[in-house]
C-alpha cells in the first residue's frame, strides 16, 4: 500500500521470511524491543487464516523466548494495536522494574528518568539479534 | 496465589472452561472491552506449552471475531502486559476513531471527552456477551 509505513519501509530487519519479518525497534529507552510484522497489508489477526495466525504467533513466541533468554527482563509485554498504522504488527517488549514507564505500559505515564542499567541492556542487543536469527532458522 | 488479583477474583465472567475465562471489563469508556484470562497462575506466554498457547490464543481470536461482528469497531487492540498483575491475561479492546484515547493506546494520552456514541455501544454489550457464549460453545 502506497501510504502505509510498514509496506514502504522495511525497518532494521533481524530476520525474515516471505510472510513476516522481525525488526529491531531502535528505542533508546527499550533496548531489545522487537517488532514482528506481517509482510502483507492486513488489518486484524482475524483477517488472517488460522494457519497464517499460527505462523505469525509462532514467530512472536520465538522472539519472546529469545528476549527472555538474552535480556532477562522482569516481564514481557506483547501487543498488537495498529491504530496509527493498521497493518498487522506485534510489539514484543522487555520490561524492567527500573525502566522509564514501569509498571505502566510504555505508552503510559513516565515514572522515572534513565536508569544506569540501560547501557548494560544496550550491550546485549547484538547477542539478541544472533539468538533470534538462530531460533528462527531452526524451524 | 494468595496475593494475585486474578487468582482471587473471577470478574464478570461471560464464559469459561477449566483453563481459561472470558471476562467483561466494565470500563465506562470502552464498552465491549473483554479480558481473556488463563485460570492458572502463569506469568508469560512462553511459560505455557505450545498446546496451551494455541488454546488460549484460539479463545482470544474468537473473542476478537465476536467483538468485530457485534461492536463494529474501527480497530481491535490486543495486548498481554501483566506488569501490575503478572498472571497471564489478554486485553481485547474495540477501538473507535472517536473514543477517548484514539489513536493512542487506551493507556496513553486522553484525546477527547465522552462521545455520544458511547450509549449506542453500551447497548450492544448484551448482544456481544451472547455472541461470545455462542462462539465458544461451538468448539
Amino acid at each position: 500500500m502506497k501510504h502505509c509505513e510498514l509496506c514502504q519501509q522495511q525497518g532494521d530487519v533481524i530476520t525474515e521470511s516471505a510472510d513476516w519479518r522481525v525488526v529491531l525497534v531502535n528505542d533508546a529507552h527499550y533496548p531489545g524491543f522487537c517488532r514482528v510484522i506481517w509482510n502483507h497489508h492486513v488489518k486484524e489477526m482475524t483477517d488472517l487464516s488460522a494457519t497464517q495466525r499460527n505462523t505469525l504467533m509462532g514467530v512472536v513466541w520465538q522472539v519472546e523466548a529469545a528476549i527472555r533468554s538474552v535480556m532477562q527482563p522482569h516481564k514481557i509485554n506483547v501487543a498488537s494495536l495498529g491504530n496509527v498504522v493498521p497493518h498487522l504488527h506485534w510489539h514484543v517488549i522487555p520490561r524492567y522494574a527500573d525502566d522509564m514507564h514501569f509498571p505502566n505500559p510504555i505508552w503510559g505515564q513516565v515514572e522515572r528518568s534513565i536508569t544506569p542499567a540501560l547501557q548494560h541492556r544496550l550491550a546485549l542487543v547484538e547477542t539478541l539479534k544472533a539468538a533470534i536469527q538462530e531460533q528462527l532458522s531452526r524451524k
Side-chain angles (χ1 to χ4, degrees), chain A:
Chain A
M1 292 259 298
K2 214 172 166 183
H3 301 292
C4 173
E5 190 184 312
L6 292 182
C7 286
Q8 295 300 313
Q9 296 166 24
Q10 285 297 296
D12 184 356
V13 176
I14 299 173
T15 185
E16 63 188 324
S17 80
D19 287 332
W20 50 261
R21 61 189 188 272
V22 181
V23 162
L24 184 70
V25 179
N26 289 303
D27 183 319
H29 295 287
Y30 291 100
F33 179 175
C34 293
R35 211 164 269 146
V36 181
I37 302 164
W38 189 248
N39 285 339
H40 317 286
H41 192 83
V42 170
K43 190 171 172 184
E44 305 284 11
M45 284 299 292
T46 44
D47 292 329
L48 296 181
S49 70
T51 305
Q52 291 172 322
R53 273 199 295 274
N54 288 344
T55 298
L56 180 55
M57 296 318 293
V59 177
V60 171
W61 311 139
Q62 298 262 39
V63 170
E64 173 176 311
I67 292 176
R68 291 183 73 184
S69 167
V70 175
M71 307 291 300
Q72 302 276 321
H74 291 109
K75 189 70 191 70
I76 290 282
N77 287 180
V78 185
S80 178
L81 308 175
N83 302 328
V84 178
V85 184
H87 173 139
L88 264 184
H89 60 281
W90 283 88
H91 306 282
V92 190
I93 314 162
R95 301 297 311 273
Y96 301 87
D98 64 359
D99 75 32
M100 195 163 77
H101 300 83
F102 202 90
N104 305 323
I106 68 162
W107 308 281
Q109 196 178 304
V110 171
E111 289 293 338
R112 63 192 65 78
S113 56
I114 294 173
T115 163
L118 262 183
Q119 281 310 314
H120 167 69
R121 289 170 203 158
L122 195 55
L124 294 172
V125 169
E126 288 305 314
T127 308
L128 174 65
K129 287 165 78 170
I132 289 172
Q133 284 157 358
E134 211 241 319
Q135 285 257 10
L136 283 159
S137 65
R138 267 192 230 148
K139 295 190 109 174

